[in-house]
Amino acid sequence: MPPLVAAAAAALLVVPASAARRPRLWPSRSRRARPAEARAAALRALPRRLELWPQRLASVESTPPPSPAPPEPESISSLDAGSGGGDSGGDGGGGADLGWLRVFPHVLTASMANFLFGYHIGVMNGPIEDIARELGFQGNPFLQGLVVSIFIVGAFFGSLSSSALVDKFGCKKTLQIDSIPLIIGAFLSAQADSLDEMLLGRFLVGIGIGVNTVLVPLYISEVAPTKYRGFLGTLCQIGTCLGIIGALSLGIPSESNPHWWRTMLYAACVPGFLIVVGMQFAVESPRWLAKVGRFDDARKVVESLWEPSEVDKSMEEIKAVVANDDSQSSWSDLLVEPHNRVALIGGSLFFLQQFAGINGVLYFSSLTFRDVGITSGALASLYVGITNFGGALVASNLMDKQGRKNLLIGSYLGMAFAMFLIVYGISFPLDEGVAHSLSITGTLLYIFTFALGAGPVTGIIIPELSSARTRSKVMGFSFTVHWICNFLVGLYFLELVNKFGVGAVYAGFGGVSLLTALFAYNFIVETKGRSLEEIEMSMSPATPGKRE
């Protein structure tokens, strides 16, 4: 099914629960004569039946073709709630909807890996000069850049290997195994007495982060109930933001203590141990359990985390998808429809995200703040981190209300506006104070709008669009593209700024942001309020019940 048709089908599924319980609107098909009293009663009821006709029509149109059986009222209510969002979730009660609390401890434990990701992004922000001085490569910008960027090289290889680990061991055990390079790498970096030891430690940390950035959004998408999947998926972005803020806050003493960086790197070992212990008590993905034939265990997980009314329907959908994809997947599957389409969307989203300039803006933000008198790089980065965190919190509230597609489009339009605002402040003859104010406003607006959609939605929607058969490989491929583009932007950003100027580079970022908004409008399918299996069946060109 084409993406736009799939989105329309999802919209038609949202019908009032009362419509599902309506009596038949037409008399029996039998043409036998009826008594006069019955005919008179039918004529008196005719106006009421005609009044109900539009509701019945909507109900008929929204019925999925493969399954003529009437849906249960509870299932339709659940779809309404998931699609409409809201505090009460459409349950009809006036109280707060706390159904997400059952799954929250599990996804919170997993998202600690994203906290580590953010922490390792921010940990080098302040003390890199102290590290260079102590390890003997001070004044060498190439080696300083290598210490930072070797992390990205490790993440590249981690992303490539993630699929094999997840398919073999499952999400839970892979998260525990992957904590080993995170702990060892942080410890080696903290103990380093030479550049080689520091590079080895950072490379190992990068491998762990590369696996986790693939694994955590995949795990959350497969464990979270449909109704809360968007909200819980934003924990990846929130965890990353908190990790950056934590590293920047912990790094403040490094401005007066040149050896403080070792303490910061030792501290990075702690979340790794917490992940190992915490995931021992977390559930495994029910989709992975079903994929390896452990249907009873999968049902126990679903019963423990999801609404009772969803259990039977969800297990039937999971079993149907597993039955249609009974063989092992391979990387060559990404060349076949519909997996190639999803892989192209995933890779494109990360390609466009990186070339929309997020890392360049983050790099240049300290210089922007310095122009207005904030000379502390750590303090400027802390302002940026708090803005990023605020945007992620707003996104968590909107994800299951406005939908992924709307947030993605609005986010990139906001980023484009922010870029052009900065360009205006830089390129036109304005009062210096006004120009600086526009630059600061544009920078913070860009980061805030990035956190609303471009950051969290990209990681959420790719596993949602992927099939159970190829989900880990599509995620691995997409994040591999992310790390390559991340590395290229970091490598050439300053060179482009020196050659063309900040205004021209930022104008290019704004243009890419507009292009991405157009891409999302034309190619992204809305996934809000739809189960992973429903999305997979709508994306598949195969007839129901048959292999692709």
Side-chain angles (χ1 to χ4, degrees):
M1 183 183 295
L4 291 178
V5 178
L12 287 173
L13 284 174
V14 183
V15 298
S18 58
R21 295 192 290 267
R22 297 289 186 194
R24 290 189 57 86
L25 299 181
W26 304 113
S28 171
R29 293 181 181 177
S30 173
R31 298 298 181 186
R32 290 180 298 178
R34 293 179 295 171
E37 301 86 352
R39 289 196 299 271
L43 287 174
R44 286 194 299 272
L46 184 57
R48 173 61 177 160
R49 289 172 177 170
L50 291 175
E51 179 183 338
L52 294 177
W53 165 242
Q55 299 178 33
R56 179 59 180 169
L57 180 61
S59 176
V60 170
E61 288 179 344
S62 66
T63 304
S67 178
E72 297 180 4
E74 294 85 350
S75 299
I76 294 182
S77 297
S78 173
L79 260 180
D80 265 345
S83 193
D87 292 335
S88 64
D91 291 331
D97 182 4
L98 300 177
W100 53 271
L101 284 176
R102 288 192 292 269
V103 71
F104 186 74
H106 306 276
V107 298
L108 180 65
T109 303
S111 64
M112 287 180 64
N114 284 86
F115 176 88
L116 263 180
F117 175 36
Y119 188 89
H120 282 290
I121 290 175
V123 75
M124 291 291 172
N125 189 278
I128 184 64
E129 293 290 343
D130 295 331
I131 295 172
R133 188 181 305 110
E134 191 165 340
L135 299 186
F137 56 94
Q138 185 181 13
N140 190 326
F142 174 78
L143 292 180
Q144 291 184 26
L146 185 62
V147 168
V148 175
S149 60
I150 195 71
F151 166 87
I152 299 175
V153 177
F156 168 83
F157 288 105
S159 295
L160 283 178
S161 64
S162 60
S163 174
L165 292 172
V166 174
D167 289 345
K168 182 174 180 62
F169 298 110
C171 296
K172 176 179 175 178
K173 191 170 290 185
T174 302
L175 271 168
Q176 292 177 304
I177 294 172
D178 188 54
S179 296
I180 297 173
L182 288 170
I183 295 170
I184 294 176
F187 186 78
L188 282 177
S189 300
Q191 290 270 30
D193 291 319
S194 66
L195 174 63
D196 292 341
E197 292 177 356
M198 175 60 71
L199 291 175
L200 177 60
R202 291 285 289 171
F203 180 77
L204 289 174
V205 166
I207 290 177
I209 294 300
V211 174
N212 280 346
T213 50
V214 171
L215 183 57
V216 177
L218 188 151
Y219 175 76
I220 294 176
S221 71
E222 294 194 344
V223 168
T226 300
K227 183 176 175 182
Y228 310 109
R229 196 173 60 231
F231 156 65
L232 293 170
T234 59
L235 287 178
C236 294
Q237 180 77 5
I238 291 173
T240 303
C241 294
L242 288 176
I244 295 173
I245 293 172
L248 295 174
S249 301
L250 189 60
I252 291 175
S254 67
E255 296 185 3
S256 57
N257 183 350
H259 306 293
W260 184 251
W261 61 272
R262 294 188 184 274
T263 302
M264 295 177 66
L265 290 171
Y266 279 128
C269 300
V270 177
F273 284 111
L274 293 178
I275 292 171
V276 173
V277 176
M279 288 307 296
Q280 190 64 32
F281 302 97
V283 297
E284 180 56 87
S285 161
R287 269 91 179 189
W288 181 82
L289 290 170
K291 195 175 178 180
V292 296
R294 295 166 57 183
F295 292 103
D296 291 340
D297 292 334
R299 186 178 184 87
K300 289 177 183 177
V301 173
V302 172
E303 288 175 341
S304 67
L305 300 182
W306 297 2
E307 295 290 339
S309 59
E310 298 177 350
V311 173
D312 291 335
K313 177 176 178 292
S314 298
M315 286 305 302
E316 288 175 7
E317 290 179 344
I318 290 172
K319 288 179 180 179
V321 166
V322 170
N324 287 338
D325 289 323
D326 54 358
S327 61
Q328 291 293 321
S329 65
S330 65
W331 285 102
S332 62
D333 289 335
L334 300 190
L335 302 176
V336 180
E337 185 75 18
H339 313 304
N340 59 351
R341 180 158 37 111
V342 179
L344 179 62
I345 290 173
S348 299
L349 282 177
F350 273 121
F351 175 88
L352 293 167
Q353 181 203 66
Q354 291 301 302
F355 283 97
I358 179 60
N359 288 304
V361 173
L362 291 175
Y363 178 89
F364 217 71
S365 62
S366 59
L367 300 180
T368 304
F369 279 90
R370 192 177 303 164
D371 287 339
V372 295
I374 301 174
T375 57
S376 171
L379 187 60
S381 298
L382 191 57
Y383 285 139
V384 169
I386 292 172
T387 303
N388 200 356
F389 177 63
L393 285 180
V394 174
S396 70
N397 187 48
L398 296 177
M399 194 66 67
D400 289 316
K401 296 178 181 178
Q402 299 300 320
R404 285 58 150 163
K405 183 173 182 176
N406 287 338
L407 282 182
L408 199 61
I409 295 171
S411 173
Y412 277 106
L413 290 177
M415 290 161 62
F417 175 77
M419 284 290 95
F420 295 138
L421 190 66
I422 297 173
V423 171
Y424 179 75
I426 292 173
S427 304
F428 290 87
L430 301 172
D431 178 78
E432 186 176 357
V434 174
H436 288 166
S437 297
L438 288 176
S439 296
I440 290 290
T441 302
T443 298
L444 294 181
L445 178 63
Y446 177 92
I447 292 163
F448 182 82
T449 52
F450 173 87
L452 280 180
V457 171
T458 307
I460 291 173
I461 202 167
I462 296 173
E464 290 182 331
L465 292 175
S466 307
S467 69
R469 174 184 174 83
T470 60
R471 187 167 293 129
S472 62
K473 288 182 170 56
V474 170
M475 288 290 286
F477 167 77
S478 300
F479 271 95
T480 299
V481 173
H482 166 272
W483 292 116
I484 292 174
C485 295
N486 187 312
F487 180 80
L488 291 175
V489 170
L491 184 64
Y492 290 108
F493 174 72
L494 281 182
E495 185 176 338
L496 291 173
V497 167
N498 292 331
K499 186 173 183 178
F500 299 106
V502 178
V505 174
Y506 274 27
F509 290 159
V512 174
S513 297
L514 288 177
L515 179 64
T516 310
L518 186 63
F519 175 86
Y521 178 80
N522 285 286
F523 294 102
I524 297 300
V525 178
E526 183 55 70
T527 57
K528 177 189 71 171
R530 305 170 69 192
S531 71
L532 297 182
E533 289 70 32
E534 181 187 348
I535 297 167
E536 178 174 346
M537 287 184 282
S538 73
M539 296 284 288
S540 174
T543 55
K546 293 185 179 182
R547 286 285 309 269
E548 297 171 15

